[in-house]
Amino acid sequence: MRLSSMFSPTAAGLLSIILSLHGLKVQGVNFTPVPSPNLDLSQLGRVAIAGDFDAISLYTFQQQNENSFSTNGSQSLLTQMPNGDFATLATADASIEAMCPFVMQDGTLVGIVVGGNFTSLGGVEAQGVALYNITTAGITALPGLSGSVSTLYCDPTTSTVFVGGEFMGANSTNAVAWVGTAGWTNLPFAGFNGPIQTINKASNGNIIFGGSFTSLGNASGIPDVPDQQVINLSTANITAGGSSSTPGFSDPTNIICSTSGESGPGQTWLLADDTPGFWQAEMNFGFQPTKLRIWNTEQNGQGTQTFRFTALPIHGIMNFTYGGSDGQTSSCTSQCPLNASTTQYTDFHFVNTIGMSGFRIDISDWFGSGGGLDGIELFQDDIYAYAVSSLDEPACSVSKLGSNATATGPWKVTSSNQGSSQYLSANLTGPGINSKSASVTFLPDIQQPGNYTVTIFTPGCRQDSTCDIRGISNVTGTFASSTGPSQSIETTVFQTNDFDKYDQIYHGYVDAGSSSFRPSITLSPLDNQNTSINLVALRVRFQLDSPSADGLNGLFEWNPNQATASTDFRNSTIDTAGTGLQNDALIMSVEVVGQTTYVAGNFSGNGIENIFSISNGNATSLPDIGLNAAVASTFVYGDLLFLGGNFTNTTNPGTPGLNYVAIFDTSKQVWRALGNGVNGQVTSMVPLSLNITSGQPETCITVDGIFNEVLASGSSPAFSAMDGFAIWVPSHNDWLQNLNIQTMAITGQLSASTNISGSTPLLAGTISAQGMGLSDAAELGTSGSPSLNSLGIRLQPQQVGSPGQRKRAVSGQNVTGAVVGLFDTDNGRNTTILGGHFTLVATNGSTINNLAIINSTNNGTQSVVGIGSGLQDDSVFLALATQGDTLYAGGTVTGTLNNADINGLVLWNLATSNFVSPQPPAFTGSSVAVNAIAVQPDTSNVYVAGSFNTAGSLNCPSICLFANGQWKQPGTGLGGSISALTWQGNTQLLAGGNLTVGGNTTTLATYDTTGQVWTEINGASNVPGPVTALSAANSDASQFWVAGKSTNGSAFLMLYDGTNFQSVGDTLGKNTLIRGLAVLSLSQTHTATSLVPADLSLLVTGQLDLPGFGNASAALFNGTTFSPFILSNSGNGPGSISQLFTEFQQPFSASSGSLGVGPIIGIALACALGCIFLIVLAGFIMERRRRTREGYRPAPQNYYEKTSANMSRIPPGDLFRNLNQNQPGPRL
C-alpha cells in the first residue's frame, strides 16, 4: 500500500509510544474476587429478600457496582466479568462509535483503536480517536485530528487503520489512515467532501468508503464572493509599540473600521519618527483568516513600506500572495510591501489557512519620517455566527445582513480558560426545564446559496468546572425558504465534553439571506431535564462544500496498492452503483458476506430502496425492492444480516413484522422478522455474549433505539423497553424477555463491540446490569455459597397514586415493589406471601395487586393467587403475620368488604382462601398506616402497630391487641407512631418508632403484657431519631439493633447491649436509607468486637451509601467495616431491599454477644449454689471415710424382711404420727 506520510514532530513523539506497545501479549483485564461472606443460613429454612429492584447480583467482584447508565451522552469501554456483569474500563465524555483491534502484520496486537465524538477518554485528552492498551488499561491519545470519528477498519495485512468520520487532519478531510509506527498518513485522494459513515474491505481486497459525499479531496467550495465575512476587530485588545506621541495619531484603535482611506487625526495611527514598531490585536475568539486588507497612510509624507504578519499565539510568520504593480501575482513573507499611495487598499491573501486568536503587524521600513496606517481589515471564507454578539461581524462590515445572534434567558458571558472564545453560559433549575427556559438563535450572513456543512461548537466543561451539571441541548435549524429544497432539522447535542468540540448538525442546501428570509439555528435545552443543568452556547459555522460533484454519490472503492486514486469511476461497480442512486444518497453501512457486498442507508434509485447487494459486477435490489425507509445499523451473524432503522416493512409489503428491525437471510435470500419488531426507530445493533440455557456463552444481538416497547408476537405479549434496549437470542429465534429462563438483566445502550483474540470482547456504550433479572423478590440459597434464585414470579412495581399514600408509609419503607414477605408452613402448607405495591399475573391469568400468595407443592409445581376484590388498587402492604390459618396483612390498605370499611388491616383465611368474616373494625386517624404486626409467643394474641388513633370505636393509639375476635387496648400512655416490633421473651414487647410514653418523647419502649405497662427504654434519649428498623441481637432480644434517620437527615445504626446504646459511628454515607436489619450466623468466625460477636454478622438492607464503594442494597457489618453483599438496580438507578425474611428464626448460641444484667445474676446464683453443693458433698465423703477407718459398718438391710409384706397395711397417719416428736439422737 502506498500512502503519503504525515509524519511530523507530533507523530514522531507517538512513535516511541507505539513501539513500546509493540510486542505486548494479551493478558486481558484482571478482576478481583471479594472474600466469601461465610454466611451459615442452614438453620433458617427458606430465605428470601423483598425490595424494589428489577436486577440483582451478589457482590462477588470488586469491579461490580449499582451505577446507573449515563443519559448525558457519555459512554465507556466495557468488558464482562466472569459472573457476567459489566466492568467499566475507561469513560469517554461523549459517544464511542467504533472500535477495532490494531494488529500488525506479524500478528502483534498493539491495542484497540477507539473512535467517536469524544474529546477525552479515561481522563486523557483525545480528540475523536485514541488507543486502548488491554494489558495495562492505559489510554494513548492519537493527536492530529479535529472532529469526530464514525467508523474504523483495522487491516492487519497492511498494519493499517482506516479512519472515517467528520474531521480535519493535515491535508485530509473525513478520511485518513494510521499506518504501522509511522502515524497518521494521508490517503492519495485526501479524503472526501462529506462525512464518512462506514469503511469495509471488499472480497477483492479493495477498501470501500460509504457516507454522504460527492467528490474526493478536501477542497471546499469556492464562493462567488470569497473572503466574504469580516472578522471583528472592534472588540479586540489592541496594543502597539513605537507609536507617535502626536495627539490624534497615537491611538492604535484609530485604524479599526477606518475604511475610507482618508488620513487625519482620529483616523490614522503613526509611528514615532525613524522608529520601527508594531500593531497588535488579541481577540476573544479563534478565526482562520483568508485575506488581509491594509490602507496605507501618507500623513505628512509618512507611510509604511514593508511589514510582516505574525499569527498569535503560535508566533508563526505568515506567507501572502498579492497583486503587484505590474499586475502579476507576487508573494511575500517577512517583508511584505505597501505602496506609498493611499488611493486604495492593498489585499494580501494568506497562502495557508491557519487558526489563530490574534496577530501582530511589525513595521520594518517606512516612507518619509516614519511608518503608519490608515485602516486594516481581516476576512475569512467560512461564515460564523457567535452567541456573544460582540464577536460577530462589526458594524462597519460591508454586509447589510451581518452575522449576529439573539438570546433569551439567564445567559452570562463566560471567558474561556481552555479555548480561544468567550461564550454564553446559563444555569437552569429543574424540574420543568424546556425550550423556553433559555435559547440562542444564530443568524449567519449567507451571501451565496449552495451546499454547506453546518457545525456547532461546544466549549469544554473542565474549564468552567461544570462537567457534573452540563445538560443536553436541542438544536433546530431552518436553512431554506419554503421554496427551497430543504427547510429544517432538529437534533440533540450533548454538552458533557471535557474539552472543546464541534458537532456537524447539517449537510445540505442553504439559501442565501435576504430581507424576507435568513437561515437560522436555535439552541435551547432539551425538554424534561428534571435536574438543574448548565447550558452553553459558543458559535456555529457554515462551510461551503464543493459546488460540483466529481461523479461520486456516497460510495467509493479504492485499491490500496495504487499510489494514486483513479478519478475514472466508471471502472468500479461500487462507484457506479452509488452514482445510479438519486442525489444526496446517505450510505450508513457496507457489509461483506462471502463474495457479496451489501450496502444500506437512506437512498433510492433504479428500483432500489435503502439496501442493495453487489456481486459478480452487478448491483441488485433485495427481494420486494428493499425496505420502505432508512437503515441505520447492520450486523452480520453467520448468513444472517441483521438490520435496524426507521422502516416498517419491505417496499412492496411481503413479510409482516419488520417493524424497525429485520433479518435478511443471505443464503436463502429471504426476509425474516424478529418477532413483530419494536415500536420505534432502531439506531444500533451490537453483538453481546450471554449465558442462555446451556451455561455456555452464546451470541445475542442487542437492539438500541428510540422505542419503548417490544411488540406482541404469537403467544408472547408485548413488553416494556422503556430505555430503548432489547436483546434478541438467535438460537431461540425470540426476544430474551420472552424466554422463561433465569438470566442477567441489562439495560442502557451498546454502540460498538470488537473481538480480541485470546481475550474477552470489548464493548462500548453505557450499561446498567446485574447478574439476575429478578423483580422485587428473590430467594437466597442456604446451602454452600450464597446464590440468588427466582421465586417463580415476575412482579411489576407500581408508583403510589397520591402524595397522601406516600405520607402514610411512615415506617421508612419503600412504597413500590415488594415491601414485606413471610413463609407459612402451618397445617401442611408450603406458602410464600409477598406484600407491597406491585402487580402480578396470577396462575389463572388474572391480575394480582399488592398481595401475592405462592402455593408450592411437593412435586415442584406452584400456583400464584391474590386475595380477591374489595381492596383499592393503590393499597400498600407494609406488614404481614400469620396466626393459625389467619393471615394478618397491614399497611396503607383501604377498601370495602361486605359493606364494611377496611383501613389499615385486612384478615385472610389461608385454609379457605377467603376474607375472614367479619373483619376487625377499621382503624381511624388522619393518616392510617399499619407498619408492624407481632404475634405473642405461645398465644393467639396479635399486636398491630403503626399510625392510627382508634380501632373502630375503641381508643387505641399506635398499637392495638386483637384477641378472641375483638380489639383491646394494650396499656395506656403510649402515643405517636410505631415502625417496628419484636418480642423480648414471651411477655415483653419492644416497640420502635417516633413515640411518646406518658407524654414524654422517645424512640423505644417496652410493654409488659403481665402488668400491662409501657416503659421507656433506658438511654433511648441517645438515639438521634425515630427508629424505623429493629432486630434482636441475642436470643431474648435483651440486646437489639436499631436504625433510622437522625434529625439532621443522616442515617444512624446502634446496638443496645442491655445497658447502653453503642453507635457504629459516622460510617455510612449521607444518602443511606436503612430499611431492614437481621443478625446472621457465620460458618467462619471473624475478630469479635463489642458490637458484633465473632460468629455473627449484621445484615443491613435498604438503599445504602457505602463510603469508598458507592451504592449497595445490602451489606454485612462485622463490627468494624461494612462489606457490600447484594447489589440491585431499579430502572436506571439504584434498587433497594426492604427486608430479609426466613422460614425459621435466627438461633443464637450461648457465646453470641455479651450478657445482660439478668442473665449475669442468674449465672452467678447458679455458680454459688453449685459451690455450696460441692462443699457439702466433699464433707459427706470425708465423714464416710472417717467412719470406715473407725470400724463402723452398715446396718443389716434385711431387718424388716419378715414384716415388709405388711408395710402397705400401716395407716399413713400412724406411720408419720410421731414424726415431729422429740426423740433422742442416735448415739454415735
Side-chain angles (χ1 to χ4, degrees):
M1 182 174 66
R2 303 174 183 177
L3 299 175
S4 59
S5 176
M6 286 165 49
F7 202 66
S8 62
T10 301
L14 287 172
L15 175 59
S16 60
I17 298 175
I18 300 300
L19 289 176
S20 68
L21 296 173
H22 188 77
L24 290 174
K25 295 183 179 180
V26 177
Q27 296 179 359
V29 180
N30 294 321
F31 302 107
T32 307
V34 299
S36 170
N38 297 320
L39 292 179
D40 180 8
L41 307 179
S42 60
Q43 300 181 69
L44 301 180
R46 295 181 65 192
V47 180
I49 54 176
D52 182 15
F53 53 85
D54 48 37
I56 190 167
S57 290
L58 292 172
Y59 180 62
T60 54
F61 288 92
Q62 289 183 4
Q63 289 77 12
Q64 289 177 250
N65 57 60
E66 281 189 358
N67 294 349
S68 58
F69 64 85
S70 169
T71 58
N72 64 3
S74 62
Q75 296 184 337
S76 302
L77 295 180
L78 308 166
T79 190
Q80 287 183 275
M81 291 180 275
N83 64 354
D85 285 355
F86 290 83
T88 298
L89 304 177
T91 298
D93 62 357
S95 62
I96 298 174
E97 303 292 340
M99 298 186 295
C100 66
F102 184 12
V103 179
M104 306 294 281
Q105 285 177 303
D106 62 2
T108 301
L109 175 66
V110 177
I112 305 299
V113 183
V114 183
N117 192 29
F118 51 81
T119 65
S120 70
L121 180 63
V124 176
E125 182 175 4
Q127 291 285 340
V129 65
L131 189 71
Y132 174 74
N133 186 318
I134 68 170
T135 303
T136 65
I139 303 294
T140 302
L142 304 178
L145 303 186
S146 177
S148 61
V149 171
S150 301
T151 182
L152 298 165
Y153 180 78
C154 291
D155 186 1
T157 63
T158 58
S159 302
T160 301
V161 182
F162 294 96
V163 182
E166 201 270 319
F167 55 78
M168 298 180 64
N171 295 320
S172 290
T173 56
N174 304 325
V176 73
W178 182 286
V179 179
T181 58
W184 293 118
T185 305
N186 285 318
L187 297 169
F189 47 88
F192 301 89
N193 71 335
I196 299 300
Q197 300 291 342
T198 180
I199 303 174
N200 210 333
K201 190 173 186 179
S203 57
N204 61 3
N206 289 348
I207 304 298
I208 305 172
F209 298 85
S212 178
F213 54 85
T214 58
S215 66
L216 300 175
N218 59 356
S220 60
I222 301 175
D224 294 338
V225 181
D227 317 313
Q228 58 183 300
Q229 187 167 52
V230 178
I231 297 171
N232 194 340
L233 300 179
S234 61
T235 58
N237 178 30
I238 306 298
T239 57
S243 298
S244 170
S245 60
T246 304
F249 296 95
S250 61
D251 189 350
T253 63
N254 287 348
I255 63 175
I256 295 175
C257 279
S258 178
T259 59
S260 65
E262 297 179 359
S263 300
Q267 295 178 300
T268 301
W269 167 71
L270 295 178
L271 289 173
D273 291 349
D274 297 320
T275 303
F278 69 88
W279 189 95
Q280 182 170 303
E282 293 178 283
M283 279 79 113
N284 294 320
F285 58 93
F287 54 93
Q288 292 181 314
T290 56
K291 184 175 70 176
L292 168 68
R293 176 172 288 177
I294 292 182
W295 284 264
N296 203 355
T297 186
E298 54 180 2
Q299 178 72 28
N300 298 329
Q302 292 181 236
T304 297
Q305 186 171 356
T306 60
F307 73 93
R308 72 172 181 265
F309 184 104
T310 303
L312 301 177
I314 62 175
H315 296 285
I317 299 175
M318 304 305 296
N319 299 326
F320 291 106
T321 61
Y322 63 96
S325 57
D326 56 0
Q328 301 296 316
T329 299
S330 302
S331 61
C332 65
T333 302
S334 59
Q335 290 186 323
C336 293
L338 284 176
N339 294 325
S341 172
T342 60
T343 54
Q344 76 176 55
Y345 51 78
T346 302
D347 284 344
F348 294 86
H349 295 275
F350 288 80
V351 174
N352 299 307
T353 303
I354 300 297
M356 61 190 75
S357 61
F359 64 94
R360 170 171 162 154
I361 293 175
D362 287 275
I363 298 174
S364 55
D365 202 358
W366 50 87
F367 299 107
S369 60
L373 297 173
D374 277 347
I376 184 171
E377 279 188 321
L378 272 181
F379 299 82
Q380 61 188 2
D381 280 345
D382 291 343
I383 301 163
Y384 289 90
Y386 289 85
V388 179
S389 58
S390 61
L391 307 182
D392 281 312
E393 287 184 285
C396 58
S397 170
V398 295
S399 174
K400 296 180 180 179
L401 299 173
S403 295
N404 61 82
T406 60
T408 62
W411 298 100
K412 64 178 182 179
V413 176
T414 303
S415 296
S416 174
N417 297 319
Q418 185 182 91
S420 56
S421 297
Q422 291 181 327
Y423 57 92
L424 293 183
S425 175
N427 291 320
L428 306 177
T429 302
I433 295 173
N434 56 47
S435 60
K436 296 182 180 179
S437 301
S439 67
V440 174
T441 299
F442 300 91
L443 300 168
D445 181 13
I446 305 297
Q447 300 181 28
Q448 175 185 340
N451 288 329
Y452 286 79
T453 296
V454 182
T455 305
I456 190 165
F457 291 75
T458 304
C461 63
R462 285 194 183 182
Q463 60 183 312
D464 56 9
S465 302
T466 59
C467 293
D468 291 338
I469 59 172
R470 274 289 180 91
I472 307 171
S473 65
N474 187 61
V475 179
T476 59
T478 301
F479 301 107
S481 63
S482 58
T483 59
S486 177
Q487 293 189 33
S488 63
I489 59 100
E490 182 171 5
T491 188
T492 297
V493 175
F494 294 90
Q495 296 196 337
T496 52
N497 45 293
D498 288 341
F499 303 95
D500 293 354
K501 71 159 184 174
Y502 65 82
D503 292 277
Q504 178 186 309
I505 59 172
Y506 179 72
H507 180 75
Y509 181 81
V510 179
D511 255 344
S514 66
S515 59
S516 60
F517 172 78
R518 291 194 70 176
S520 65
I521 294 174
T522 299
L523 181 150
S524 61
L526 187 68
D527 289 349
N528 300 321
Q529 296 181 75
N530 292 324
T531 59
S532 298
I533 65 166
N534 174 260
L535 200 69
V536 291
L538 175 55
R539 62 178 174 171
V540 296
R541 179 183 69 192
F542 285 68
Q543 185 178 35
L544 185 65
D545 296 331
S546 177
S548 61
D550 286 346
L552 296 176
N553 188 22
L555 277 172
F556 177 64
E557 179 185 16
W558 174 60
N559 184 346
N561 295 316
Q562 295 180 350
T564 59
S566 172
T567 57
D568 186 359
F569 307 126
R570 295 171 299 177
N571 296 326
S572 168
T573 302
I574 291 174
D575 296 350
T576 55
T579 56
L581 304 174
Q582 292 183 358
N583 291 338
D584 299 322
L586 173 60
I587 309 301
M588 294 296 296
S589 174
V590 173
E591 300 283 7
V592 178
V593 182
Q595 300 297 311
T596 303
T597 300
Y598 291 88
V599 180
N602 187 7
F603 50 78
S604 62
N606 295 332
I608 290 173
E609 295 290 337
N610 301 305
I611 187 169
F612 64 92
S613 64
I614 302 174
S615 61
N616 300 320
N618 297 309
T620 307
S621 173
L622 266 59
D624 297 319
I625 319 181
L627 297 166
N628 65 358
V631 176
S633 179
T634 61
F635 173 71
V636 175
Y637 179 66
D639 292 333
L640 303 180
L641 176 61
F642 285 79
L643 304 103
N646 206 33
F647 52 83
T648 56
N649 208 324
T650 51
T651 305
N652 289 338
T655 304
L658 305 185
N659 291 300
Y660 304 100
V661 285
I663 298 173
F664 184 71
D665 190 325
T666 62
S667 62
K668 299 179 180 178
Q669 292 290 295
V670 296
W671 292 102
R672 289 168 46 184
L674 285 76
N676 198 28
V678 298
N679 70 339
Q681 182 181 357
V682 170
T683 56
S684 64
M685 307 184 82
V686 177
L688 176 67
S689 180
L690 291 177
N691 291 331
I692 301 299
T693 53
S694 63
Q696 295 297 320
E698 61 180 90
T699 299
C700 301
I701 313 299
T702 65
V703 178
D704 300 277
I706 309 171
F707 58 88
N708 57 27
E709 185 179 73
V710 175
L711 301 175
S713 175
S715 60
S716 299
F719 62 87
S720 173
M722 293 303 295
D723 299 310
F725 184 89
I727 299 176
W728 180 260
V729 184
S731 63
H732 290 258
N733 197 37
D734 205 348
W735 298 101
L736 179 62
Q737 188 86 359
N738 291 334
L739 304 180
N740 188 25
I741 59 174
Q742 188 169 298
T743 187
M744 71 180 304
I746 309 172
T747 187
Q749 181 187 31
L750 290 177
S751 58
S753 69
T754 188
N755 289 322
I756 308 169
S757 178
S759 185
T760 305
L762 203 62
L763 301 163
T766 173
I767 285 293
S768 175
Q770 300 296 346
M772 303 299 297
L774 303 177
S775 296
D776 300 334
E779 189 160 4
L780 198 60
T782 58
S783 61
S785 298
S787 61
L788 291 170
N789 303 289
S790 172
L791 286 171
I793 57 174
R794 190 187 297 272
L795 302 181
Q796 295 294 329
Q798 299 186 79
Q799 292 297 323
V800 172
S802 67
Q805 287 287 339
R806 289 188 180 92
K807 182 178 178 182
R808 288 191 285 170
V810 296
S811 70
Q813 295 283 12
N814 57 319
V815 291
T816 61
V819 180
V820 62
L822 64 79
F823 295 108
D824 174 45
T825 56
D826 286 350
N827 299 326
R829 289 186 294 271
N830 184 9
T831 300
T832 306
I833 305 172
L834 295 172
H837 193 60
F838 54 80
T839 61
L840 175 66
V841 177
T843 303
N844 63 6
S846 62
T847 299
I848 297 172
N849 289 310
N850 310 321
L851 187 65
I853 301 173
I854 309 167
N855 296 307
S856 301
T857 63
N858 293 331
N859 60 9
T861 62
Q862 69 178 28
S863 63
V864 182
V865 298
I867 59 171
S869 60
L871 302 181
Q872 295 294 324
D873 290 346
D874 62 356
S875 295
V876 182
F877 288 94
L878 302 172
L880 300 174
T882 58
Q883 201 287 315
D885 290 333
T886 302
L887 169 67
Y888 291 76
T892 57
V893 182
T894 57
T896 303
L897 295 175
N898 297 324
N899 298 319
D901 289 337
I902 300 296
N903 195 8
L905 181 73
V906 67
L907 274 57
W908 176 262
N909 191 308
L910 293 168
T912 63
S913 297
N914 286 300
F915 287 108
V916 171
S917 181
Q919 291 283 314
F923 292 115
T924 65
S926 60
S927 55
V928 172
V930 169
N931 300 318
I933 304 173
V935 179
Q936 185 175 4
D938 302 329
T939 74
S940 60
N941 296 336
V942 179
Y943 289 80
V944 181
S947 176
F948 47 80
N949 297 328
T950 69
S953 60
L954 176 68
N955 186 42
C956 200
S958 309
I959 187 167
C960 229
L961 165 62
F962 191 73
N964 301 319
Q966 61 182 1
W967 290 116
K968 298 180 181 179
Q969 182 181 9
T972 59
L974 183 74
S977 62
I978 295 176
S979 299
L981 297 172
T982 193
W983 286 99
Q984 297 179 307
N986 290 349
T987 60
Q988 197 87 354
L989 180 62
L990 175 64
N994 190 8
L995 312 175
T996 60
V997 177
N1000 297 320
T1001 300
T1002 187
T1003 57
L1004 290 157
T1006 59
Y1007 176 66
D1008 185 341
T1009 62
T1010 303
Q1012 299 185 11
V1013 176
W1014 285 98
T1015 305
E1016 179 183 356
I1017 292 287
N1018 290 331
S1021 59
N1022 295 319
V1023 178
V1027 170
T1028 57
L1030 180 64
S1031 176
N1034 60 1
S1035 58
D1036 64 355
S1038 59
Q1039 300 176 49
F1040 53 84
W1041 285 94
V1042 296
K1045 279 283 188 182
S1046 303
T1047 54
N1048 64 6
S1050 63
F1052 68 82
L1053 178 62
M1054 306 180 79
L1055 171 70
Y1056 183 71
D1057 62 8
T1059 305
N1060 299 305
F1061 284 93
Q1062 299 183 51
S1063 173
V1064 302
D1066 189 18
T1067 54
L1068 295 169
K1070 63 180 180 178
N1071 297 318
T1072 293
L1073 178 61
I1074 298 175
R1075 290 179 168 138
L1077 301 170
V1079 176
L1080 302 175
S1081 298
L1082 297 177
S1083 59
Q1084 294 184 20
T1085 60
H1086 59 75
T1087 301
T1089 70
S1090 61
L1091 291 170
V1092 181
D1095 60 340
L1096 297 177
S1097 185
L1098 176 66
L1099 177 70
V1100 184
T1101 61
Q1103 198 169 76
L1104 312 179
D1105 178 5
L1106 304 181
F1109 174 78
N1111 294 322
S1113 299
L1116 293 168
F1117 181 62
N1118 65 1
T1120 56
T1121 59
F1122 288 90
S1123 299
F1125 179 48
I1126 298 177
L1127 310 178
S1128 74
N1129 288 93
S1130 178
N1132 187 29
S1136 65
I1137 293 176
S1138 295
Q1139 66 166 215
L1140 177 138
F1141 59 97
T1142 62
E1143 185 177 356
F1144 307 120
Q1145 289 187 352
Q1146 165 68 34
F1148 290 92
S1149 64
S1151 62
S1152 296
S1154 58
L1155 296 174
V1157 175
I1160 290 175
I1161 293 174
I1163 293 173
L1165 180 60
C1167 291
L1169 292 174
C1171 290
I1172 293 172
F1173 172 76
L1174 291 175
I1175 292 172
V1176 172
L1177 179 62
F1180 177 77
I1181 294 173
M1182 292 174 65
E1183 179 64 17
R1184 287 291 302 269
R1185 287 181 177 177
R1186 183 184 67 81
R1187 291 188 176 192
T1188 300
R1189 287 196 302 268
E1190 294 178 359
Y1192 283 86
R1193 293 290 183 270
Q1197 299 300 312
N1198 58 353
Y1199 177 81
Y1200 295 105
E1201 184 176 354
K1202 295 180 180 179
T1203 60
S1204 62
N1206 297 322
M1207 285 294 292
S1208 62
R1209 299 174 185 161
I1210 300 175
D1214 294 342
L1215 182 64
F1216 296 105
R1217 180 176 296 123
N1218 298 322
L1219 181 63
N1220 294 324
Q1221 296 181 6
N1222 293 327
Q1223 299 290 337
R1227 184 173 295 179
L1228 298 179

